Amino acid sequence: MAVLLIAEVAGGVLNADATGKALAAVAGLGDVTVLCASAGCGGAAEEAAKLAGVAKVLCADDAAYGNDLAEPVADLIVSLAGDYSHIAAPSTAASKSILPRVAALLDAMVISEVTAVVDADTFERPIYAGNAIQTVKSSDDKKVMTIRTAGFDAAGEGGTASVEKLAAVANPGLSEWVSDAVASSDRPELTSAGVVVSGGRGVGSEEDFKIIEALADKLNAAVGASRAAVDSGYAPNDWQVGQTGKVVAPDLYVAVGISGAIQHLAGMKDSKIIVAINKDEEAPIFQVADFGLVADLFDAVPELTGKL
């Protein structure tokens, strides 16, 4: 058996955290070949070659692959698929667009959000907002899957894999990149941060959300938000944690003014330590919290920030 792992590459830069965690998930399935497909991905390919457990790196450096358009990247992956029993990628916005198309072209199902690899044919993934774990056994000749990386430790360095350059396949021309609107921040990226501070509807306003940001800055943490806070306009969409947002599993998750709806818990309940601050002692968030403080967040958070 052999695995083709699609690396997460943005702007020619390897997302080593997401790629390394997906690598750790599939390493037991056989030799792992990493595909870097992007414009100017030579440096990303060299970095991927240093990850422990990588047998070979394929580098497809072409402008057609520079913006994660599903059609050209999927055609490239399908052209390589004959040599591999498994095709995997970290579960990201890009892979969720590309791999369903790959699976359709290969007449296979997508096994999404894999949290455990049982054997070559059997995988586990969460369903019902994370309240149940589904075991999936696939009889497809080629297994196409996305890996929920939050529960895996990233593979370390120490690899010495070779890098092979690939020629681009014909671009089907079914879509074109127009523009990206990219938010920039000095804070850690939400899905890979070791500490996350999230605010909910209880924060009350976009202006008051600054106390959440102040606490996060003291902890060198990423900032998250519940869907209720995002829908109310207190925080941007890319901060949303939950079933319809991002899934995180940091070492420390601080939930401020978040009641703990099941959809939010689905995105953060695998965090190593959960701290909840809420004035409602019956809030569901306290059922999953390791430490809970029943207090008014407008008193507790500034005091905590000041003492830090």
Side-chain angles (χ1 to χ4, degrees):
M1 291 185 297
V3 181
L4 180 64
L5 175 63
I6 317 305
E8 179 72 6
V9 181
V13 177
L14 178 72
N15 184 332
D17 183 74
T19 304
K21 288 178 177 178
L23 172 61
V26 301
L29 293 172
D31 290 341
V32 179
T33 297
V34 174
L35 171 63
C36 294
S38 184
C41 64
E46 294 292 341
E47 188 177 352
K50 297 176 183 177
L51 293 174
V54 175
K56 182 170 65 174
V57 177
L58 303 177
C59 178
D61 185 346
D62 192 273
Y65 308 135
N67 301 103
D68 295 323
L69 294 179
E71 293 84 358
V73 178
D75 282 5
L76 172 66
I77 294 170
V78 170
S79 73
L80 301 169
D83 296 331
Y84 303 97
S85 57
H86 296 75
I87 298 171
S91 185
T92 63
S95 70
K96 290 174 184 177
S97 175
I98 295 166
L99 286 196
R101 185 173 181 85
V102 170
L105 292 170
L106 293 174
D107 193 24
M109 68 179 285
V110 179
I111 307 169
S112 59
E113 302 289 334
V114 170
T115 54
V117 176
V118 179
D119 59 38
D121 301 319
T122 312
F123 312 91
E124 292 182 354
R125 64 181 180 186
I127 57 173
Y128 303 132
N131 284 284
I133 300 298
Q134 182 182 59
T135 301
V136 179
K137 189 175 182 68
S138 172
S139 59
D140 289 332
D141 291 336
K142 298 189 183 300
K143 316 300 190 286
V144 181
M145 55 191 181
T146 62
I147 307 296
R148 179 177 285 194
T149 57
F152 296 96
D153 294 326
E157 293 191 348
T160 56
S162 61
V163 177
E164 177 184 328
K165 292 188 177 180
L166 294 179
V169 298
N171 187 342
L174 297 173
S175 61
E176 65 178 22
W177 173 78
V178 177
S179 65
D180 283 338
V182 182
S184 59
S185 173
D186 294 332
R187 297 190 181 100
E189 204 279 322
L190 183 56
T191 55
S192 60
V195 181
V196 174
V197 179
S198 285
R201 197 202 317 261
V203 177
S205 70
E206 182 179 8
E207 180 66 25
D208 287 334
F209 220 86
K210 289 178 180 176
I211 68 172
I212 305 298
E213 297 178 55
L215 176 57
D217 291 340
K218 281 291 184 182
L219 294 170
N220 190 30
V223 178
S226 68
R227 177 170 180 172
V230 170
D231 287 350
S232 298
Y234 305 164
N237 285 67
D238 58 331
W239 288 3
Q240 184 176 325
V241 173
Q243 184 178 13
T244 54
K246 294 179 179 178
V247 177
V248 301
D251 295 326
L252 173 63
Y253 188 88
V254 183
V256 181
I258 294 175
S259 64
I262 189 172
Q263 292 85 355
H264 185 76
L265 299 184
M268 47 66 71
K269 66 181 181 181
D270 290 331
S271 304
K272 309 301 185 292
I273 298 293
I274 300 172
V275 175
I277 301 174
N278 198 301
K279 65 181 180 181
D280 177 11
E281 62 183 28
E282 301 298 327
I285 191 70
F286 289 124
Q287 296 176 17
V288 299
D290 298 283
F291 300 94
L293 175 61
V294 179
D296 189 320
L297 68 89
F298 296 105
D299 296 328
V301 174
E303 183 179 355
L304 176 58
T305 304
K307 289 184 175 180
L308 287 168

